[in-house]
């Protein structure tokens, strides 16, 4: 089934100025949210205690939260984990492992008193503040190293304007994705960080496909301005881009709605990233190389010196 009719052309680059305005507005909102509200960091980054308990019958999360409030742990995060009978409790309290053991015993006692059936304490994990700080630094460093490696890779494979354009698009995608988490105050933990890194890879792959077609068309099209060549390249890759994005979004929607609360943040970050990444590969990356002045001469193969043409 063809999503785009053969020969159908869209003037993407004719709308690039409008797209730039939209991107700038969204980025300003995202950065403003990061500055004003900050990220709701999970215990992976802030430190704390994670407790997993199992019930004989599926409990109502409201009753679990009420039991924790009565026990003095009103700020605890409660969510179902795996089956409806498994509950995951996150506590930001506890600065030492001894505190973690005490907290888990107190929480378990409060939950046991609140239900008639048996409650099973299955797992207790403690993340110290120092470990959380190290994860925060390592996570930021991982994103920075990924962007630098991408810059060098694209510069070697294509041309420096394409490298800069791809990094601009990736920074655009990461900033908006993280900014939405800050705006909506969705918990940002290690799975979400992994999703952000996956977004970088997905967006780069989409951008490389578009760039490869742009380079090919610059070399084979004798007539046409850079804007026209980029427009044609985007139209030629549009069907592939939409099919890839649509199938990926379907999988992510299934994960978001059917994968359980524990994976919501991961799936939500990828949903945002795939949507923004598809948009940026069309408008942000392609617009960036036009603004940097790419031309046919920049992409023509370099002739090797010293080669003698001995044909008759």
């Amino acid at each position: 089934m063809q999503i785009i009719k053969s020969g159908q052309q869209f003037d993407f680059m004719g709308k690039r100025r409008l797209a730039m305005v939209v991107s700038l507005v969204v980025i300003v909102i995202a950065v403003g949210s990061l500055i004003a509200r900050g990220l709701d960091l999970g215990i992976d980054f802030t430190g704390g205690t994670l407790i997993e308990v199992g019930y004989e019958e599926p409990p109502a999360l409201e009753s679990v939260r009420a039991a924790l409030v009565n026990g003095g742990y009103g700020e605890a995060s409660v969510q179902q984990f795996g089956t409806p009978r498994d509950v995951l409790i996150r506590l930001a309290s506890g600065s030492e492992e001894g505190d973690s053991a005490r907290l888990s015993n107190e929480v378990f006692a409060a939950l046991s008193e609140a239900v008639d059936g048996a409650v099973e304490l299955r797992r207790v994990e403690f993340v110290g503040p120092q470990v959380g700080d190290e994860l925060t630094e390592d996570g930021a460093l991982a994103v920075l190293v990924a962007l630098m490696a991408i810059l060098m890779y694209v510069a070697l494979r294509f041309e420096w304007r394409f490298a800069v354009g791809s990094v601009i698009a990736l920074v655009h995608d990461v900033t908006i994705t993280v900014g939405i988490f800050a705006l909506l105050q969705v918990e940002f933990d290690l799975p979400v960080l992994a999703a952000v890194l996956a977004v970088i890879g997905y967006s780069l792959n989409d951008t490389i496909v578009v760039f490869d077609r742009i380079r090919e068309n610059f070399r084979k099209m004798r007539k046409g301005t850079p804007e026209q060549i980029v427009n044609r390249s985007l139209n030629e890759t549009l069907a592939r881009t939409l099919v890839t994005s649509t199938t990926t979004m379907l999988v992510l929607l299934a994960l978001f709605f059917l994968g359980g609360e524990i994976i919501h943040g991961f799936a939500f970050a990828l949903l945002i990233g795939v949507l923004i990444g598809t948009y940026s590969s069309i408008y942000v990356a392609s617009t960036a190389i036009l603004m940097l002045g790419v031309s046919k001469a920049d992409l023509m193969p370099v002739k090797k010196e010293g080669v003698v043409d001995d044909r008759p």
Side-chain angles (χ1 to χ4, degrees):
M1 183 180 67
Q2 289 186 343
I3 296 179
I4 303 300
K5 294 181 180 179
S6 178
Q8 189 170 355
Q9 298 291 313
F10 296 95
D11 186 17
F12 291 109
M13 291 297 95
K15 305 294 190 300
R16 67 181 184 274
R17 291 178 177 82
L18 176 61
M20 287 174 59
V21 172
V22 172
S23 292
L24 287 174
V25 170
V26 176
I27 287 176
V28 168
I29 295 174
V31 174
S33 300
L34 286 169
I35 295 174
R37 309 189 69 178
L39 290 171
D40 180 18
L41 296 175
I43 64 171
D44 298 325
F45 299 106
T46 61
T49 304
L50 183 146
I51 304 170
E52 181 185 345
V53 295
Y55 289 81
E56 287 185 347
E57 299 294 334
L61 293 184
E62 291 76 12
S63 63
V64 176
R65 293 190 181 96
L68 292 172
V69 170
N70 294 333
Y73 300 102
E75 297 182 357
S77 170
V78 180
Q79 58 185 178
Q80 287 181 329
F81 175 73
T83 69
R85 294 178 297 176
D86 301 324
V87 175
L88 200 63
I89 301 168
R90 301 172 187 265
L91 296 168
S93 309
S95 58
E96 298 178 359
E97 291 197 36
D99 293 337
S100 175
R102 176 182 58 80
L103 285 171
S104 62
N105 291 331
E106 293 177 357
V107 168
F108 182 67
L111 295 177
S112 299
E113 294 175 359
V115 296
D116 296 331
V119 181
E120 179 185 358
L121 182 63
R122 295 182 175 175
R123 176 166 57 113
V124 178
E125 293 183 4
F126 172 75
V127 179
Q130 183 177 358
V131 175
D133 291 340
E134 291 177 357
L135 287 174
T136 303
E137 295 175 2
D138 291 346
L141 182 61
V143 175
L144 181 61
V145 169
L147 292 176
M148 294 300 296
I150 289 167
L151 180 67
M152 292 186 290
Y153 163 73
V154 180
L156 290 174
R157 177 172 174 179
F158 293 95
E159 201 257 351
W160 71 267
R161 293 173 181 83
F162 287 79
V164 174
S166 64
V167 170
I168 290 174
L170 293 178
V171 172
H172 168 277
D173 299 345
V174 171
T175 302
I176 292 178
T177 302
V178 176
I180 290 177
F181 270 76
L183 180 65
L184 302 179
Q185 286 296 285
V186 180
E187 185 180 46
F188 192 94
D189 51 16
L190 276 181
V192 175
L193 176 61
V196 171
L197 293 174
V199 165
I200 292 177
Y202 178 90
S203 179
L204 176 66
N205 177 70
D206 218 25
T207 301
I208 291 299
V209 171
V210 174
F211 280 177
D212 204 42
R213 183 57 60 88
I214 290 173
R215 179 178 60 179
E216 179 184 343
N217 284 337
F218 262 107
R219 291 177 175 178
K220 75 178 184 180
M221 291 177 62
R222 300 194 177 191
K223 296 181 181 180
T225 64
E227 179 181 335
Q228 292 171 337
I229 294 174
V230 169
N231 235 351
R232 177 170 173 177
S233 303
L234 291 172
N235 278 279
E236 289 176 352
T237 57
L238 182 60
R240 177 263 172 203
T241 299
L242 291 180
V243 169
T244 303
S245 301
T246 302
T247 53
T248 305
M249 292 282 285
L250 289 175
V251 174
L252 294 175
L253 286 171
L255 285 176
F256 183 80
F257 289 107
L258 304 176
E261 190 175 354
I262 195 69
I263 204 173
H264 274 187
F266 176 81
F268 183 57
L270 284 175
L271 280 170
I272 299 170
V274 169
L275 185 62
I276 299 298
T278 302
Y279 162 84
S280 69
S281 64
I282 295 174
Y283 280 108
V284 180
S286 302
T287 300
I289 63 173
L290 286 178
M291 292 179 64
L292 292 170
V294 69
S295 64
K296 185 182 293 286
D298 299 322
L299 299 173
M300 295 304 293
V302 179
K303 295 182 179 180
K304 297 181 180 180
E305 297 182 0
V307 177
V308 179
D309 189 357
D310 56 357
R311 291 177 298 178

